[in-house]
Amino acid sequence: VRSVTLHDVAQRCRVSIATVSAVVNRAAWVPDATRERVQRVVDHMGYRPNQLARTLKTRRGYAIGVVVSDLTNPFFTEIVRTLSNQLRADGRAVFLCDSDHDYAHGARNAAMLLDDAQIGGLVIIGDTVPEDVLAQRLRRRTGIPVVAIERDYQLDGVNCLLADSEGGAYEATRHLIALGRRRVALVGGPVQGPGSATFGRAQRHAGYLRALAEAGLPHDARLIAEGNFRSAGGYAAMQRLLHAGPHPDAVFAANDLMAIGALVALREAGLRAPDDVALIGCDDIPIAAQTSPPLSTIAMPMRELGEAAAAALQERLQGRRLPAPRCRRFATRLVARASTGS
Amino acid sequence: VRSVTLHDVAQRCRVSIATVSAVVNRAAWVPDATRERVQRVVDHMGYRPNQLARTLKTRRGYAIGVVVSDLTNPFFTEIVRTLSNQLRADGRAVFLCDSDHDYAHGARNAAMLLDDAQIGGLVIIGDTVPEDVLAQRLRRRTGIPVVAIERDYQLDGVNCLLADSEGGAYEATRHLIALGRRRVALVGGPVQGPGSATFGRAQRHAGYLRALAEAGLPHDARLIAEGNFRSAGGYAAMQRLLHAGPHPDAVFAANDLMAIGALVALREAGLRAPDDVALIGCDDIPIAAQTSPPLSTIAMPMRELGEAAAAALQERLQGRRLPAPRCRRFATRLVARASTGS
DNA sequence: TTGTATGCGTTATCAA
DNA sequence: TTGATAACGCATACAA
């Protein structure tokens, strides 16, 4: 059961395969008469160009590869969804790869996509593809558009889309302080290993410190706990915070997943939010609005990021060389819910 | 910047490309001497076979395609993760496509994977690829292994992996009744449209009815509300249930996402679980254990499903024709937490 | 034991 | 305005 090839169509039309190819690729020189005649047969026979052969020949893939750090984090899936819907609307295939918090997996995913599948463009979401690996792969396949979300690669040819996490963390912490809280803790991202190179990780730490300093609050190391951007990490970090001395009266968690874990730890310790401990997260993933109490958070511009990534990619694929500034920054926004009080 | 080809290696070794190809593909007839010599050069030059060319020639893709109904549902992502980790361990590339609750997207995804990317195997998770579309695509690419999870395709060449949702729903409902509840409601999946063809959808409805009948409880239409397997649908369904008359004293939601939505609706209505309404979900996604109160649920065998899918695929790719029975059923398990009482 | 040659389905360069 | 034809990188039947 072979599929229809250029050859079949050509034979049926009594033209050469070159002509059919020209019609399919909308070459300008084909006269309208033959164009129509051929096109009709193409439609009738249900001819579809073999993308493998096409890519083999042109070295320009038609599909877009997406590498994502953690598919179980709604922050990422939300971005992935808007991104791929947009790309699909642009008529592109999207191949997604999950790295499951692992640099090795991220590296393999990038290599598979770039070397094996020979994709036409790449989107990297999160920090799971090491910079040197990316640089090396890009050296082989030069000129291929790459867009990174929430990671600041110092590579030219790659566009970086970043959220203003520093500002968000600053606002979050200020919000807690304005509520009258004085022992404001941070459940941060991992200081090393997977997740640590996410752009927002250091930014959120910095924003937290800036707000504290501005309010003249002392810097207390016992108020800072390290998580891993996952729920279990937030849970463990909160427990450590509670056992480290007099418990904090407010917590800024560097993402919502950790905030949810922290919420569980608080509940188990018999503490209530916001009465005993005011809690604010970061990302504004859908479940944040459905926890009990609903979680205050810093909304990350997930849809904007996804759409901007698709747009940047499409723009560069259309041929234009320079894609605006190398890095673009997107605003965040405070969302106050019950977990920080009414 | 060309990459290394068979030709380059052959030239360097002073052998023909056929020999190098044989070494790379581990042909039996190559003498150990040359094999080693060639292999050394292969490694040294960093040769990697061009998968596109290889697939174009052999018509057997190396990658596995995965189509998933809803990437924002942790039930699916959990399966996807174990599946792709397993496949990666088997040395296969995995390309994932999200259909976002849309038959058209599902159809396009399957077509892209099968026709364009010419994958070597396909896994379909959920109900988003219409049966006729799949049948048609499979007719062109015959012999390609396909595994479906939670959807019962009546196609040969397709392995179906199904969970015992009927039994699970039955247990869930019985659990509620055993708690002394008499007005036991169902928040079900969508009766038509995307989601409706999921194997578990009808099964859960049936299990619920069986338990009611067995307990001699009357069948009351006002106790059944239709959701869409998403949180918002569960929320709306619960609201309808509450407005339809005297509120139910127990609810079985056909998945955890809807149960979480229902929980929010209950809270907003000033009702408490389990005191006023006992609530049980289905799936046992990670957040189910972290809601307030923690959600009782029917655990679906997500890891087993993912691993079995990888195993079935691998088995069929290794050449064995018949892959055990066409359909395999996996057990579910009741997990009692606070939302149904202590 | 090894090399030659053909073709997979395209695109692209020429010549007609 | 068209049609041969040579790659693209690889696998493989067949000749040596």
Side-chain angles (χ1 to χ4, degrees):
Chain A
V1 191
R2 265 185 53 257
S3 54
V4 185
T5 73
L6 272 187
H7 196 85
D8 302 326
V9 178
Q11 201 163 322
R12 193 87 142 60
C13 288
R14 306 183 164 287
V15 291
S16 77
I17 62 171
T19 307
V20 183
S21 175
V23 169
V24 170
N25 292 319
R26 291 168 171 63
W29 54 263
V30 186
D32 285 355
T34 42
R35 158 182 311 264
E36 262 186 57
R37 188 164 56 93
V38 172
Q39 185 64 53
R40 215 186 315 277
V41 178
V42 162
D43 293 341
H44 178 258
M45 298 184 74
Y47 166 77
R48 296 183 41 135
N50 181 325
Q51 299 291 352
L52 288 182
R54 180 181 287 205
T55 302
L56 179 60
K57 188 68 183 127
T58 61
R59 297 167 135 346
R60 279 192 340 160
Y62 77 112
I64 303 298
V66 178
V67 178
V68 55
S69 281
D70 176 16
L71 255 193
T72 66
N73 187 337
F75 169 66
F76 290 122
T77 45
E78 213 69 18
I79 294 177
V80 165
R81 172 153 288 176
T82 63
L83 170 67
S84 52
N85 279 342
Q86 187 59 51
L87 287 174
R88 182 157 38 208
D90 294 342
R92 299 211 161 256
V94 177
F95 296 142
L96 184 60
C97 296
D98 175 28
S99 308
D100 194 5
H101 296 284
D102 189 311
Y103 287 149
H105 292 170
R108 289 198 51 181
N109 286 337
M112 276 172 170
L113 256 11
L114 252 16
D115 297 350
D116 296 347
Q118 301 204 179
I119 51 172
L122 179 64
V123 180
I124 300 173
I125 313 179
D127 78 328
T128 208
V129 178
E131 179 151 354
D132 54 345
V133 171
L134 182 61
Q136 187 186 341
R137 292 308 169 191
L138 252 36
R139 216 167 293 136
R140 294 247 168 259
R141 312 251 295 92
T142 174
I144 182 177
V146 178
V147 177
I149 296 181
E150 272 300 274
R151 162 110 195 206
D152 187 16
Y153 288 110
Q154 307 289 344
L155 264 32
D156 49 48
V158 9
N159 280 84
C160 300
L161 273 30
L162 309 168
D164 178 25
S165 287
E166 201 276 345
Y170 171 77
E171 290 299 340
T173 310
R174 241 169 56 114
H175 177 64
L176 295 171
I177 295 170
L179 254 27
R181 312 288 169 148
R182 285 298 169 266
R183 297 184 46 76
V184 181
L186 169 72
V187 172
V191 171
Q192 57 179 346
S196 60
T198 307
F199 183 72
R201 208 267 314 159
Q203 295 274 312
R204 287 165 206 183
H205 196 129
Y208 161 79
L209 291 179
R210 178 158 69 96
L212 284 195
E214 191 184 274
L217 290 176
H219 178 289
D220 183 348
R222 291 170 310 170
L223 288 178
I224 297 188
E226 182 178 342
N228 60 359
F229 285 135
R230 281 177 278 190
S231 166
Y235 175 83
M238 189 73 235
Q239 283 191 322
R240 267 178 275 126
L241 247 22
L242 292 176
H243 293 142
H247 71 74
D249 56 10
V251 173
F252 167 53
N255 78 349
D256 286 342
L257 248 27
M258 292 195 296
I260 288 172
L263 206 51
V264 174
L266 285 176
R267 196 168 57 227
E268 287 184 8
L271 296 171
R272 300 178 20 161
D275 310 311
D276 301 310
V277 178
L279 177 63
I280 186 167
C282 187
D283 284 352
D284 197 21
I285 59 180
I287 17 165
Q290 314 203 21
T291 55
S292 170
L295 188 66
S296 293
T297 191
I298 300 298
M300 300 287 282
M302 300 177 267
R303 267 188 306 234
E304 286 90 325
L305 288 169
E307 279 165 9
L313 220 49
Q314 198 64 8
E315 194 175 338
R316 289 183 59 184
L317 286 165
Q318 311 266 312
R320 281 177 285 266
R321 275 288 136 228
L322 291 186
R326 206 177 61 77
C327 286
R328 275 179 64 192
R329 197 69 74 94
F330 293 77
T332 56
R333 183 173 46 85
L334 176 74
V335 178
R337 298 202 183 94
S339 73
T340 50
S342 51
Chain B
V1 190
R2 264 185 54 257
S3 53
V4 185
T5 75
L6 273 188
H7 196 84
D8 302 327
V9 178
Q11 201 163 323
R12 195 88 144 57
C13 290
R14 306 183 162 288
V15 293
S16 78
I17 64 169
T19 306
V20 182
S21 175
V23 169
V24 170
N25 292 320
R26 289 168 172 63
W29 53 264
V30 185
D32 285 354
T34 41
R35 157 182 312 265
E36 263 186 56
R37 188 164 54 93
V38 172
Q39 186 63 53
R40 213 185 316 277
V41 178
V42 162
D43 293 340
H44 178 256
M45 297 184 75
Y47 167 77
R48 298 184 42 138
N50 181 324
Q51 300 293 351
L52 263 64
R54 178 179 281 192
T55 303
L56 180 62
K57 187 76 184 111
T58 62
R59 299 168 129 353
R60 278 192 341 159
Y62 78 112
I64 302 297
V66 178
V67 178
V68 54
S69 281
D70 176 16
L71 256 192
T72 65
N73 187 338
F75 169 66
F76 291 122
T77 45
E78 213 68 18
I79 295 177
V80 165
R81 173 154 289 178
T82 63
L83 170 66
S84 53
N85 279 343
Q86 188 59 52
L87 287 175
R88 184 158 34 209
D90 294 342
R92 300 214 162 252
V94 177
F95 295 142
L96 183 60
C97 294
D98 175 28
S99 307
D100 194 5
H101 295 285
D102 189 312
Y103 286 151
H105 291 170
R108 289 197 50 180
N109 286 338
M112 277 173 169
L113 256 12
L114 252 15
D115 297 350
D116 295 347
Q118 300 201 184
I119 50 172
L122 178 64
V123 180
I124 300 174
I125 312 179
D127 79 329
T128 208
V129 178
E131 179 151 355
D132 55 344
V133 170
L134 182 60
Q136 187 186 342
R137 292 307 168 193
L138 251 36
R139 216 166 293 136
R140 294 246 169 260
R141 311 251 295 89
T142 175
I144 181 177
V146 178
V147 177
I149 296 181
E150 271 301 274
R151 161 112 196 207
D152 187 15
Y153 288 110
Q154 306 289 343
L155 265 30
D156 48 49
V158 179
N159 279 84
C160 299
L161 272 30
L162 309 168
D164 178 24
S165 287
E166 201 275 345
Y170 170 78
E171 290 300 340
T173 311
R174 240 167 58 112
H175 178 64
L176 295 171
I177 294 169
L179 255 26
R181 313 288 169 147
R182 284 300 171 263
R183 299 184 45 74
V184 181
L186 170 72
V187 172
V191 171
Q192 56 178 348
S196 60
T198 307
F199 183 72
R201 209 265 315 158
Q203 294 275 311
R204 287 164 205 183
H205 196 129
Y208 161 79
L209 291 179
R210 177 159 69 97
L212 284 195
E214 191 183 275
L217 290 176
H219 178 290
D220 183 348
R222 290 172 310 172
L223 287 178
I224 297 188
E226 182 179 342
N228 60 0
F229 285 136
R230 282 176 277 190
S231 166
Y235 176 83
M238 190 70 235
Q239 284 191 323
R240 268 179 273 126
L241 246 23
L242 293 176
H243 293 141
H247 72 72
D249 56 11
V251 173
F252 167 53
N255 79 348
D256 287 343
L257 248 27
M258 293 196 296
I260 288 172
L263 206 51
V264 174
L266 285 176
R267 195 168 58 226
E268 287 183 7
L271 296 170
R272 301 181 17 164
D275 310 313
D276 302 308
V277 179
L279 178 63
I280 186 168
C282 188
D283 284 352
D284 197 21
I285 58 180
I287 17 163
Q290 314 203 19
T291 55
S292 168
L295 186 67
S296 293
T297 192
I298 300 298
M300 299 287 282
M302 299 178 267
R303 265 186 309 233
E304 285 91 326
L305 288 170
E307 277 165 10
L313 220 50
Q314 198 65 8
E315 195 175 337
R316 290 183 59 185
L317 286 165
Q318 311 266 313
R320 281 176 288 264
R321 274 290 134 225
L322 290 186
R326 206 177 61 76
C327 285
R328 276 179 64 192
R329 198 71 73 96
F330 294 78
T332 56
R333 183 173 46 84
L334 175 75
V335 178
R337 298 202 182 95
S339 73
T340 50
S342 51

